[in-house]
Amino acid sequence: MGSVKCQISISLDGFVAGPNQSIENPIGEGGIRLHEWAFQTEAWRRQHGLTGGERTADSDVIDEVVQGVGAYIMGRNMFGGGGGPWDEKWTGWWGEEPPYHAPVFVLSSHPREPLLMKGGTTFTFVSDGIESALQQALAAAGGSDVAIAGGASVVQQYLKAGLLDELYLHIVPIILGTGERLLADIGDPVFEPVQVIASPAATHIKYRVANPV
Amino acid sequence: MGSVKCQISISLDGFVAGPNQSIENPIGEGGIRLHEWAFQTEAWRRQHGLTGGERTADSDVIDEVVQGVGAYIMGRNMFGGGGGPWDEKWTGWWGEEPPYHAPVFVLSSHPREPLLMKGGTTFTFVSDGIESALQQALAAAGGSDVAIAGGASVVQQYLKAGLLDELYLHIVPIILGTGERLLADIGDPVFEPVQVIASPAATHIKYRVANPV
């Protein structure tokens, strides 16, 4: 069976989104600064149908994090925006061809028919909890890994439930000062650093999470 | 002139001391877990007059952080304990021969005569602010570096004032959940990672702090 993992950009002071998230600014004020290390890479641009970009250690990380992922899980806000347009016309932030190219399970309290997007992405809405979503995602992944795509509260729920096997933090050397924290209300899991990749733009630390049996 | 630097152990969730700091437990509940990576090294044991310990990357870091330091600055709580025995008999937590072997400037609102300890450590009490302490420490260091020893609030004050040149974080893979945060109320300094050393016990990231001129 595949493992359950999460990779996420985090500020030096622990935030994964800025304050005042809204439909206009789903990652919050200043939150875009968390992702600039990725935008400038060749791998991110290629994955999003663009040319150019830099071939750096950061670029290799971008390629690494999609390898072996067979399905994704995301929260309702990540799919639909903070308090956003959750209706039958909304198909996510990513246009006709989202960058997932795999089954995506969206946690939601509202049942909805699955969405089939271009390029192999499907959005399946799961209203009966995180364990059900994980079972469905693992089945859909067919032995490959399941990635928890975010946001923070979904990652926290999987961490707290002891269901996450790997947390890969991209520590970005910025201070947001306020916003959405990742590592709050998660209990006391045991983290073991298993890989560190350093660049001027971010320090990428991969932790194995040891969950009590 | 020497540079002004700080090296400090920090939990993955951003705390440099546990909750409920007291005279019995100056680093707070669970705070000792932040320092276990150091205790097991050969360098830490040697610096504290002990034998044994492991020669690891962590041990090299312990040796590295004392190199080139000509003077220290610490806060009143770090010298005297949280709400602790601030009287003329109290000479710090470290016994007759503190591990600093250099001039130490203690920020305090209470004037007091300097203390001369064994092994070259002197404690000089500074009651007219952080800039005065820094001037005195730089003069005492005679061209070597000045290390801000802690605690968190003192580091924050120097960061916020734009007076810190280097922050060396030992990121320990533990979750404290609560306690004393380091990177709060520090403004928005520009951090640049310049060195990363990884071990199973901690990830050591050295940041150059770019302060606006």
Side-chain angles (χ1 to χ4, degrees):
Chain A
M1 198 166 70
S3 63
V4 184
K5 54 197 205 179
C6 169
Q7 58 93 18
I8 194 163
S9 294
I10 185 168
S11 69
L12 192 49
D13 55 346
F15 297 101
V16 293
N20 301 319
Q21 295 171 66
S22 68
I23 179 81
E24 290 80 22
N25 193 356
I27 53 178
E29 292 167 15
I32 195 76
R33 296 171 64 201
L34 290 166
H35 304 284
E36 281 166 1
W37 71 270
F39 298 154
Q40 63 199 4
T41 65
E42 185 274 335
W44 189 91
R45 295 181 58 85
R46 171 171 30 82
Q47 289 177 17
H48 289 75
L50 303 168
T51 56
E54 300 167 8
R55 292 177 178 273
T56 57
D58 299 314
S59 192
D60 294 341
V61 168
I62 294 286
D63 275 332
E64 176 191 2
V65 296
V66 297
Q67 281 166 14
V69 176
Y72 294 84
I73 295 173
M74 68 173 59
R76 175 244 175 286
N77 285 345
M78 185 163 175
F79 177 76
W86 183 263
D87 59 37
E88 294 292 318
K89 288 177 185 159
W90 182 256
T91 58
W93 301 105
W94 304 275
E96 291 186 339
E97 186 170 340
Y100 297 101
H101 311 294
V104 179
F105 294 85
V106 181
L107 295 161
S108 163
S109 51
H110 302 283
R112 180 177 172 183
E113 290 298 306
L115 284 174
L116 276 62
M117 310 298 288
K118 287 186 183 170
T121 298
T122 59
F123 291 115
T124 302
F125 301 87
V126 180
S127 58
D128 55 348
I130 64 168
E131 299 200 15
S132 169
L134 183 53
Q135 283 175 3
Q136 294 180 56
L138 285 167
S144 293
D145 297 333
V146 170
I148 311 298
S153 74
V154 176
V155 180
Q156 287 162 1
Q157 289 174 59
Y158 280 100
L159 267 172
K160 200 170 183 177
L163 295 172
L164 200 71
D165 300 313
E166 181 186 296
L167 181 64
Y168 195 5
L169 297 180
H170 315 296
I171 302 180
V172 182
I174 60 170
I175 299 295
L176 287 181
T178 177
E180 191 172 26
R181 279 199 188 283
L182 182 68
L183 299 173
D185 192 25
I186 58 165
D188 189 11
V190 175
F191 292 96
E192 179 191 347
V194 293
Q195 176 187 292
V196 177
I197 295 173
S199 89
T203 308
H204 310 275
I205 312 181
K206 185 182 288 183
Y207 292 97
R208 197 177 70 85
V209 187
N211 296 301
V213 180
Chain B
M1 199 168 70
S3 63
V4 185
K5 53 197 204 177
C6 169
Q7 57 93 17
I8 194 163
S9 295
I10 186 168
S11 69
L12 191 49
D13 55 345
F15 298 102
V16 294
N20 301 318
Q21 295 172 65
S22 68
I23 180 84
E24 289 81 21
N25 192 358
I27 53 177
E29 293 167 13
I32 195 77
R33 296 171 63 202
L34 290 166
H35 304 285
E36 281 167 1
W37 71 270
F39 298 154
Q40 62 199 2
T41 64
E42 185 274 336
W44 190 90
R45 294 180 59 85
R46 170 170 31 80
Q47 289 177 16
H48 289 76
L50 303 168
T51 56
E54 302 167 7
R55 291 179 179 271
T56 57
D58 298 314
S59 192
D60 293 341
V61 168
I62 294 286
D63 274 332
E64 177 191 2
V65 296
V66 296
Q67 281 167 15
V69 175
Y72 293 85
I73 295 172
M74 68 172 60
R76 176 239 174 289
N77 285 344
M78 185 164 175
F79 177 77
W86 184 263
D87 61 36
E88 295 290 319
K89 288 178 186 162
W90 181 256
T91 58
W93 301 104
W94 304 275
E96 291 187 341
E97 187 171 339
Y100 297 101
H101 311 292
V104 179
F105 295 85
V106 180
L107 294 161
S108 162
S109 52
H110 303 281
R112 180 177 173 183
E113 289 299 305
L115 284 173
L116 277 61
M117 310 297 290
K118 287 188 184 168
T121 298
T122 58
F123 291 114
T124 301
F125 301 86
V126 180
S127 57
D128 55 349
I130 64 168
E131 298 200 16
S132 170
L134 183 53
Q135 283 175 3
Q136 294 180 55
L138 284 167
S144 294
D145 297 332
V146 170
I148 311 297
S153 74
V154 176
V155 181
Q156 287 161 4
Q157 288 174 61
Y158 280 100
L159 266 172
K160 199 170 183 178
L163 296 171
L164 200 71
D165 300 312
E166 181 186 297
L167 181 64
Y168 196 5
L169 297 180
H170 315 296
I171 301 180
V172 182
I174 60 170
I175 299 294
L176 286 181
T178 179
E180 190 172 26
R181 279 198 188 282
L182 181 68
L183 298 174
D185 191 25
I186 58 165
D188 188 12
V190 175
F191 292 96
E192 180 190 348
V194 293
Q195 177 188 290
V196 177
I197 295 173
S199 89
T203 308
H204 310 275
I205 311 181
K206 186 182 288 184
Y207 292 97
R208 196 176 71 85
V209 187
N211 296 301
V213 180

